[in-house]
Amino acid sequence: MEPNIPLLELVGIRKSFGGVAALTDVDFTLNAGEIHGLVGENGAGKSTLMKIIAGVHAEYQGTMRLAGKPVRFRSARDAKAAGIGMVHQELSIVRDLSVAENVLLGVQPLNRFGLVDYPKMTRIAGEQLQRLGIDVDPRLPAGALPLGLQQLIEIARVLFSGARIIILDEPTSALSPPEVERLFDLLRRVRDEGHSLVFISHFLDDILRVSDTITIFRNGRRIETAPVRRIDKRWIIERMIGAGHEELEESYTGEIQLHSRPDAKVVMTAEGLTRPGMFEDVSLDVRAGEVLGIYGFMGSGQLELARALFGKLGLARGRVLLDGRETHLVNTAAARRAGIAFVPESRRDMLFHMEPVFKNVSISILDRISRLWVRPNAERTIANKHVMSLQIRPPLVDRPLGTLSGGNQQKVALAKWLTFLPRVLLLSEPTRGMDVGAKDDVLKIVKSLRAEGIGVVVVSTEPETVLSLADRILVMKRGRIAREFADEVVSKDRLLAAA
Amino acid sequence: MTDSTAVAPARRAAASGWLQAQLRNIAPFATLIVLVALFSALSPSFTTFDNFTNILSQISVTGIIAVGLTFVILCAEIDLSVASVANAVGIVIAYFTLQDPSVNIHNVPLPGAAAIVLGLVVSVLFGCATAIGMTVIGIPSFIMTLAMLQIGAGICAMLVRGQIAYNVPSLIHTLGAGSIGPVPWIVIIAALVLLIGHIVLTYTRFGRYIYMTGGNREAAEYSGINTKAIIASVMVIAAVCSGLAGMLGVARFGSAQQDEFGDFLLDSISAVVVGGTSLFGGQGGIGNTIVGLFVLGVLNNGLDHIRIDSFLKILIRGLILLLALIVNVYAQRMRTRAATTAAAS
């Protein structure tokens, strides 16, 4: 192979989903023996590009060359056969099999009776792991190992299956600092053996530490590629969110003055909340008539924290006080009785698709309007009021919820808690996947609830969501609160820099 | 495009969607009508008043068990211990009743009321054990109730030790084997239990929570419903219904012994599912169970009237159950599809 031919080269890649462009004229080059970091916001196109490389998306325009030869993968199997492996955020480790079986999954050595040759398998896997510097007994069940080790084992497997190019999607999001260190050692070792790695991450510090080259994506375009020694975090963030005038639409770069309400009554206090592996030692105050935003990357623990505050996830340590009184959130029913409401990020998870709209709206207040007997007409009256005020279409409360459009279903999900009027409302990703109009509706609803003196908590992985709704912002990083922004000027790049 | 042309296909789609959605209710009823017509044509003795009362009393014990099972299946759980609990409770009340000296059981005769109360207590204990196993320890209902089935069988065996007891408290004897005019008491009791079950499921807050828990457990939890408490309650209700059926059953059969409720597990599950209550939870109800009970009752009774090979009868029952399961699954699928296509348009 000539030294100046890149290992993998993509030219003029275009890809759209249902008329919406996901990638526009993207060129991408991966050299042999490099770690290539990919950064960009959610929806910037980096995952789509990697799925094209890994054969997941077979329909696209443009050309791909592997070691100078044009290739076109029709399936993930094609890509795998060509030496491209992918390690997803959700590991595909088989928890009940041993480490050795996982490393040699699908290529187990057989003895002369056609049965799996366990001693040989253990030996081969052991050698492979040792060569990569992974210190683990290949006979142990993989599921019993910590997540960091499982990930190294998965990388070992991808290597053993013959991959020359390994794509890692958010490999550090769930790891502790020492585990990250060990992962980086492995990645460098694999690179020095001549393999190429693509490293996708939201954690800019991690990207900067381990990559040789960094490519930045924004709105489906490749913005810039540069060797890592010439750039810093600030430089990346500017390009990620698009400073200047080129991208006016959604990239919010303006600065916002936060006005917290330190004099307002504290309705909920959390002290030292801990759930190992999700969040550690989180303390916070929720004040009446204030919107508290909690921002962090995917996997930083804020989504889980919101669930724990609603009694859906148990706490290992810490306590929650409502109006100064300790409240045991043993289950969601206890949380609701205490005056806490929660809207999960997946609206599907909180709606009953076979049931009529009015039963969906009334379910959370049923114990207030009826003791023993249900009163469907009272429920219909309440539901009708919300259907009118939120302009839910069609305005028929007896229609099964499943027959409504997605946007209208989301309004029903919110309507549920409008009647409930909680002390504290927890919203998880309240505007995810919504168009501008629907986002505006949510904004109005949240403002009106705040005006009624409800303490609102918005948790999100999207900085725009938190910036547009919150009066005070906490930033979470790897399960801990990393920074609080109150009564100061914030902007998207400051949030990103703190996370 | 004008409004009317847009509305017409939408309305047609809505109508066919309604039909698809009602398939689970229509199919069992159609099956029942076909079976009645078939047996009426084949056997003159089938369409007599006596035979009708006969069918009613034949399905009564199954019916009482099926009420509890309807609650359980609506929550997307299963209870395999119902027949075993019925048998055990039936034996318990006989154990605490004075038996003929020829019956060689070391039993403990108590007043009739005490025996009945003990029987109910044992039912509740069975239900509580199942509920704790499922909600506190986290054992899936299929396995948990399988264990309870075996425990119930064990209690039966320990109490009667291969013997047969004949006496039950007089109140139970009247309700299980007596009649008021031409109507057997057990039919009245079954009708009452079905009615109460229907009222609880349809008109109470608890009933609504059952449907919501079964329809989407995650959503019920996010709505602040204590789904564990709901599931625990339905398991206790199922056990109490089974206990009641067991007491009346031993009176009706005239004896209390091991393994005498063997058919009732399959029959009661069949009645609920054949009636159209969804095995995935959240859809169906006592109305469906009543239709299912009649389908099974008419089928069992009618096959006797046309003097079919009794071995073939067993096979036919199995095939009918299979057919009902297929309709059940398709109804679920079509209903989901109807909902999503309507949402897309």
Side-chain angles (χ1 to χ4, degrees), chain B residues 72-269:
Chain B
V72 173
I73 291 179
L74 278 176
C75 277
E77 299 288 353
I78 190 71
D79 189 343
L80 301 178
S81 69
V82 282
S84 183
V85 170
N87 203 352
V89 173
I91 284 177
V92 163
I93 59 158
Y95 185 81
F96 291 114
T97 307
L98 184 65
Q99 298 292 336
D100 194 74
S102 64
V103 176
N104 189 16
I105 299 175
H106 296 287
N107 69 337
V108 184
L110 292 175
I116 295 171
V117 169
L118 273 173
L120 288 172
V121 167
V122 170
S123 322
V124 172
L125 287 180
F126 265 105
C128 288
T130 308
I132 289 169
M134 283 170 59
T135 58
V136 179
I137 305 171
I139 306 169
S141 58
F142 186 88
I143 300 298
M144 184 63 209
T145 57
L146 203 56
M148 295 309 289
L149 181 158
Q150 195 62 31
I151 289 170
I155 289 172
C156 295
M158 297 280 292
L159 290 181
V160 293
R161 298 189 165 269
Q163 300 289 313
I164 301 176
Y166 298 98
N167 290 348
V168 292
S170 59
L171 174 66
I172 294 295
H173 183 79
T174 309
L175 295 181
S179 315
I180 172 167
V183 188
W185 268 109
I186 194 165
V187 173
I188 296 171
I189 302 283
L192 271 177
V193 174
L194 283 161
L195 181 68
I196 293 170
H198 178 69
I199 288 171
V200 168
L201 281 176
T202 315
Y203 299 108
T204 69
R205 189 154 61 90
F206 175 63
R208 178 73 66 78
Y209 286 162
I210 289 176
Y211 276 99
M212 294 311 207
T213 301
N216 185 345
R217 189 165 305 177
E218 195 75 355
E221 249 175 69
Y222 280 127
S223 306
I225 296 174
N226 189 345
T227 54
K228 285 186 173 176
I230 300 294
I231 287 165
S233 329
V234 300
M235 298 321 286
V236 174
I237 288 170
V240 170
C241 286
S242 302
L244 181 62
M247 295 189 220
L248 301 180
V250 291
R252 183 173 141 76
F253 306 146
S255 68
Q257 56 185 309
Q258 269 174 264
D259 302 327
E260 71 177 339
F261 283 78
D263 287 341
F264 284 85
L265 171 61
L266 191 62
D267 275 1
S268 52
I269 293 180

Side-chain angles (χ1 to χ4, degrees), chain A residues 307 310 312 331-334 336-337 342 344 348-355 358-360 362-368 370-376 379 399-400 402-406 409 416-417, chain B residues 14 199-209 211-229 281-283 331-332 335-345:
Chain A
R307 278 178 167 62
F310 189 56
K312 187 75 169 68
N331 53 35
T332 58
R336 187 175 60 86
R337 274 195 302 274
F342 177 64
R348 289 193 77 88
D349 283 350
M350 68 172 301
L351 294 170
F352 305 90
H353 289 250
M354 301 292 188
E355 301 288 349
F358 79 88
K359 289 189 186 174
N360 272 284
S362 66
I363 184 69
S364 56
I365 49 148
L366 218 49
D367 53 350
R368 293 196 193 172
S370 68
R371 288 185 59 84
L372 177 63
W373 309 106
V374 284
R375 293 164 52 208
E379 294 171 40
R399 280 282 288 271
T403 63
L404 268 59
S405 73
Q409 290 185 15
K416 227 168 128 162
W417 297 117
Chain B
I199 288 171
V200 168
L201 281 176
T202 315
Y203 299 108
T204 69
R205 189 154 61 90
F206 175 63
R208 178 73 66 78
Y209 286 162
Y211 276 99
M212 294 311 207
T213 301
N216 185 345
R217 189 165 305 177
E218 195 75 355
E221 249 175 69
Y222 280 127
S223 306
I225 296 174
N226 189 345
T227 54
K228 285 186 173 176
Q283 301 288 317
Q332 183 77 18
R335 194 168 169 145
T336 315
R337 204 177 308 141
T340 44
T341 48
S345 63

Side-chain angles (χ1 to χ4, degrees), chain B residues 267-279:
Chain B
D267 275 1
S268 52
I269 293 180
S270 305
V272 176
V273 177
V274 167
T277 293
S278 169
L279 281 168

